């Protein structure tokens, strides 16, 4: 640990904390602007910035308490989080940290010694209440309460711990161009080792971080980056060749591409998103994938015309609804402070409206999958239950029932066993080592 690396860590973290952009985008920008940094230096800075983000709510609370107690300028509360983080690591003495941070914070050595001492001070280990668990694992109290409501207190600590671990890199083999085994061999030829995923018949797990975007396998469209849980959502919809499918909240098109591959490049996948900016580079991704059966609906006006033509005629609809994204906290720890409790009052209303509107596109016998990357019950089961009460012409299919209808050459027994007895698909990092996902399969009566 040295002043050079501490200074860069502080500078990078302040950029992330002061921006509304995702942390990974800010860190990429920062590293591009500091090309003189070596690989070890970049790794040190990134690892510590993300470690601070994972425990940011706790560090914020502690820095505010110390700032008030020692009567320090409140504007220093953000950089103090960095000092507190390093103090808690116990890799340097109070005196060493004071020397490292004195030029950066412009505080007296004695004040810095006091801060470091207070940061290390242990609280008595009482019964793990919501407040203590939130502090111990770096979550806000409201978020911890919502996790407890969704998973119960017996699973709560395991869930919180798992959400602080770095997520593995997962790829999906594009079956329009290759098998999963062929994709694995192509990656191995480029010195990238992988292992087969646990649930999805298309997934490959990359244990060690690798520059996937630079590989020939990626550039040629053999693989896409997609979490295994996300792959299962498309699989549950089970779209058939020669049918018409709507991806109603398509975003960047990850599930759109997977649906097109599941249909063997036949039929039609319509991709729509209310916010056109979310499409990003979807057209480039479609070209790289080789899919010929995707039609992008690029504006609300174009969708109005589509709606007049196709309402009540589609075979399948995927609704990957806008949500808090709480299931992706392993990948986006900067969301811990950005997520607001008020979102859980407004989002379920919007989600129910979306489910109601887009389910009307189905023909009798059609299937809709309502999905989120949220771990909160209010965005998941509660929304579906409200929908079913108001829409008697829909029935709920269990994941096991849906899996039994999938006509693919893979062993689905373990997948069906994972969801045996469940009404919904719920995936979580502490149980499945996937991001947090929820999916409900709804069938329109004939």
């Amino acid at each position: 640990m040295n002043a050079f690396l501490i200074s860069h860590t502080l500078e990078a973290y302040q950029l992330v904390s002061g921006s509304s952009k995702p942390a990974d985008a800010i860190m990429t920008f920062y590293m591009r602007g500091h090309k003189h940094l070596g690989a070890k230096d970049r790794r040190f800075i990134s690892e510590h910035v993300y470690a601070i983000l994972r425990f940011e709510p706790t560090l914020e609370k502690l820095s505010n308490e110390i700032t008030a107690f020692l009567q320090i300028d409140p504007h220093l509360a953000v950089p103090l989080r960095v000092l507190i983080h390093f103090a808690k690591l116990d890799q340097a003495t109070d005196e060493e940290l004071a020397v490292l941070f004195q030029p950066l914070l412009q505080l007296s050595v004695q004040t810095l010694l006091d801060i470091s001492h207070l940061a290390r001070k242990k609280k008595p280990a009482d019964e793990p209440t919501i407040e203590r668990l939130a502090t111990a694992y770096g979550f806000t109290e409201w978020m911890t309460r919502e996790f407890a409501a969704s998973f119960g207190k017996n699973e709560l600590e395991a869930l919180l711990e798992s959400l602080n671990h770095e997520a593995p890199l997962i790829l999906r083999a594009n079956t329009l161009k290759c098998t999963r085994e062929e994709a694995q061999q192509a990656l191995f030829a480029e010195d990238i080792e992988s292992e087969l995923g646990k649930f999805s018949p298309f997934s490959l797990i990359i244990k060690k971080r690798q520059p996937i975007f630079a590989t020939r396998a990626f550039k040629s469209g053999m693989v896409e980056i997609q979490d295994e849980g996300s792959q299962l959502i498309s699989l549950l919809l089970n779209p058939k060749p020669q049918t018409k499918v709507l991806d109603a909240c398509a975003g960047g098109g990850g599930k759109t591409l997977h649906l097109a591959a599941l249909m063997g490049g036949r039929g039609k996948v319509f991709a729509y998103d209310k916010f056109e900016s979310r499409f990003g580079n979807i057209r480039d991704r479609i070209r790289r994938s080789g899919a010929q059966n995707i039609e992008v609906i690029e504006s609300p006006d174009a969708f109005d015309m589509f709606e007049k033509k196709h309402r009540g005629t589609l075979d399948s609809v995927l609704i990957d609804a806008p949500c808090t994204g709480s299931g992706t906290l392993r990948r986006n720890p900067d969301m811990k402070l950005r997520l607001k409790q008020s979102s859980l009052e407004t989002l379920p209303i919007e989600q129910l409206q979306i489910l109601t509107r887009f389910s009307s596109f189905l023909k009798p016998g059609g299937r809709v999958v309502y999905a989120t990357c949220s771990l909160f019950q209010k965005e998941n089961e509660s929304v579906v239950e409200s929908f079913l009460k108001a829409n008697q012409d829909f029935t709920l299919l269990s994941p096991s029932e849906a899996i039994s209808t999938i006509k693919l050459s893979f062993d689905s027994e373990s997948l069906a066993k994972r969801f045996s007895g469940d009404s919904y698909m719920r995936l979580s990092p502490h149980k499945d080592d996937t991001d947090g996902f929820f999916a409900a399969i709804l069938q329109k009566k004939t």
Side-chain angles (χ1 to χ4, degrees):
M1 193 183 300
N2 58 52
F4 174 78
L5 292 176
I6 293 289
S7 175
H8 276 292
T9 302
L10 174 58
E11 184 179 17
Y13 172 66
Q14 285 182 301
L15 283 175
V16 170
S17 65
S19 174
S20 59
K21 294 180 180 179
D24 57 351
I26 298 296
M27 291 301 294
T28 298
F29 173 80
Y30 185 82
M31 294 305 180
R32 284 176 181 168
H34 295 79
K35 294 183 178 179
H36 60 282
L37 293 170
K40 288 185 179 179
D41 294 343
R42 290 168 182 265
R43 186 161 54 251
F44 179 96
I45 296 162
S46 294
E47 285 178 357
H48 285 285
V49 168
Y50 278 97
I52 293 165
L53 290 172
R54 288 189 180 96
F55 287 86
E56 197 170 32
T58 298
L59 294 172
E60 180 193 47
K61 182 179 178 181
L62 189 51
S63 68
N64 289 342
E65 289 173 356
I66 291 174
T67 297
F69 181 70
L70 296 178
Q71 297 184 325
I72 299 169
D73 185 347
H75 290 97
L76 289 176
V78 171
L80 280 182
R81 295 175 200 168
V82 181
L83 170 55
I84 294 167
H85 160 73
F86 282 107
K88 283 183 167 295
L89 292 179
D90 286 330
Q91 293 178 355
T93 65
D94 292 343
E95 291 75 14
E96 289 170 334
L97 287 173
V99 170
L100 287 169
F101 277 89
Q102 203 282 325
L104 301 173
L105 301 185
Q106 297 297 307
L107 293 171
S108 70
V109 170
Q110 185 57 54
T111 299
L112 290 167
L113 288 170
D114 291 340
I115 294 169
S116 183
H117 175 72
L118 289 169
R120 297 178 201 267
K121 192 173 181 181
K122 305 287 186 183
K123 292 186 178 180
D126 294 339
E127 185 70 22
T129 62
I130 292 294
E131 180 182 3
R132 288 193 178 278
L133 286 173
T135 299
Y137 290 99
F139 288 84
T140 57
E141 287 183 30
W142 75 263
M143 197 181 296
T144 307
R145 282 194 297 272
E146 291 296 337
F147 286 141
S150 300
F151 287 85
K153 289 188 176 180
N154 290 338
E155 290 187 44
L156 179 58
E157 192 163 2
L159 173 65
L160 297 178
E161 182 179 9
S162 69
L163 286 169
N164 280 331
H165 292 171
E166 186 177 359
L169 177 62
I170 311 294
L171 304 181
R172 175 180 59 80
N174 176 17
T175 52
L176 292 176
K177 294 199 168 185
C178 62
T179 65
R180 177 167 62 166
E181 290 70 26
E182 287 169 344
Q184 187 177 38
Q185 291 168 9
L187 290 165
F188 186 74
E190 297 186 69
D191 296 322
I192 295 178
E193 296 185 10
S194 64
E195 58 186 59
L196 304 184
K198 184 165 61 171
F199 298 122
S200 168
F202 316 105
S203 61
L204 292 169
I205 302 171
I206 311 296
K207 287 296 186 181
K208 185 180 177 182
R209 287 285 164 183
Q210 299 279 1
I212 295 298
F213 293 134
T215 64
R216 291 186 297 276
F218 178 83
K219 290 178 180 179
S220 66
M222 294 180 72
V223 295
E224 279 281 347
I225 294 176
Q226 187 177 21
D227 188 79
E228 193 166 11
S230 177
Q231 296 178 36
L232 290 189
I233 289 171
S234 304
L235 199 60
L236 290 177
L237 192 65
N238 193 20
K240 303 292 194 299
Q242 307 298 351
T243 59
K244 293 184 292 184
V245 179
L246 172 63
D247 186 355
C249 306
K255 295 182 183 66
T256 303
L257 297 174
H258 192 194
L259 292 170
L262 287 171
M263 294 164 67
R266 292 171 287 170
K268 182 69 74 173
V269 181
F270 300 99
Y272 173 69
D273 201 288
K274 179 180 177 181
F275 300 99
E276 299 163 54
S277 60
R278 291 180 182 168
F279 278 137
N281 63 343
I282 189 171
R283 291 200 175 279
D284 290 336
R285 297 180 74 184
I286 292 171
R287 279 193 289 271
R288 189 171 64 245
S289 75
Q292 301 292 321
N293 59 333
I294 297 173
E295 180 179 325
V296 179
I297 306 169
E298 294 189 347
S299 70
D301 288 342
F303 191 77
D304 288 341
M305 295 176 63
F306 172 84
E307 185 169 13
K308 290 174 184 176
K309 181 178 179 181
H310 291 286
R311 180 184 287 273
T313 70
L314 300 184
D315 300 280
S316 308
V317 174
L318 175 61
I319 300 172
D320 186 11
C323 66
T324 56
S326 55
T328 68
L329 283 168
R330 297 189 304 172
R331 301 181 190 280
N332 306 294
D334 51 310
M335 288 170 50
K336 283 187 175 182
L337 281 182
R338 292 181 186 173
L339 285 184
K340 303 301 178 187
Q341 190 172 7
S342 58
S343 297
L344 283 182
E345 303 302 322
T346 57
L347 273 171
I349 297 171
E350 181 185 357
Q351 290 158 345
L352 180 57
Q353 290 171 343
I354 290 171
L355 176 54
T356 302
R357 181 188 182 190
F358 290 112
S359 62
S360 68
F361 280 82
L362 284 176
K363 67 182 185 183
R367 178 182 295 186
V368 59
V369 168
Y370 170 81
T372 74
C373 53
S374 172
L375 293 165
F376 297 142
Q377 190 173 21
K378 289 178 180 177
E379 299 182 90
N380 297 333
E381 294 92 336
S382 297
V383 171
V384 175
E385 288 164 9
S386 296
F387 173 80
L388 287 172
K389 280 183 182 179
N391 295 270
Q392 301 292 316
D393 55 338
F394 280 86
T395 58
L396 184 67
L397 282 181
S398 71
S400 294
E401 287 178 277
I403 291 165
S404 70
T405 67
I406 296 171
K407 305 298 183 184
L408 291 174
S409 56
F410 80 106
D411 180 12
S412 61
E413 186 176 339
S414 62
L415 186 58
K417 186 178 179 181
R418 167 62 183 85
F419 301 113
S420 177
D422 293 341
S423 299
Y424 307 102
M425 183 192 83
R426 301 181 190 89
L427 292 166
S428 59
H430 71 296
K431 283 185 174 181
D432 307 297
D433 199 21
T434 67
D435 288 347
F437 283 101
F438 170 88
I441 308 112
L442 302 164
Q443 196 90 20
K444 190 171 184 178
K445 296 177 182 177
T446 54

